[in-house]
Amino acid sequence: AAKFPDPLFIDTEGSTSNYDVKRFDPSPTSWSMLFEQVKYVIAHPDICKTLVIDTADWAEMLCINAVIAKGLPGKKIEGIEDYAW
């Protein structure tokens, strides 16, 4: 993705630290922080031509943690499996 046109990385796991690429600083530590960074790019489309979320599986973990933290009324949630999807 570093070779895509004018990329900007949202580095969820710190994997771009050895690359000379443009990235958000700091890296997102929560799902809401990741969303704020994406919304910033949407509001400022001139900041990049390609938005890269690296990596999707670490972004997924931020999402899962947010869902678990939200919980369910009257039920303790310890893992995503507790939602019985």
Side-chain angles (χ1 to χ4, degrees):
K3 299 208 184 267
F4 290 175
D6 190 23
L8 173 62
F9 283 75
I10 297 178
D11 189 353
T12 60
E13 67 172 317
S15 61
T16 67
S17 60
N18 294 324
Y19 296 101
D20 183 21
V21 294
K22 190 167 50 171
R23 69 184 66 78
F24 270 98
D25 187 27
S27 294
T29 56
S30 68
W31 185 243
S32 61
M33 187 175 179
L34 176 88
F35 257 73
E36 289 303 314
Q37 291 175 338
V38 171
K39 287 194 290 187
Y40 183 85
V41 172
I42 291 169
H44 301 89
D46 57 321
I47 196 170
C48 67
K49 292 182 182 172
T50 307
L51 180 61
V52 182
I53 298 175
D54 185 21
T55 60
D57 59 335
W58 280 55
E60 177 190 27
M61 285 307 304
L62 295 174
C63 177
I64 289 171
N65 291 339
V67 169
I68 291 169
K70 185 175 181 180
L72 287 173
K75 182 175 181 185
K76 184 176 181 185
I77 301 297
E78 295 181 13
I80 198 72
E81 297 81 15
D82 291 344
Y83 283 96
W85 291 343

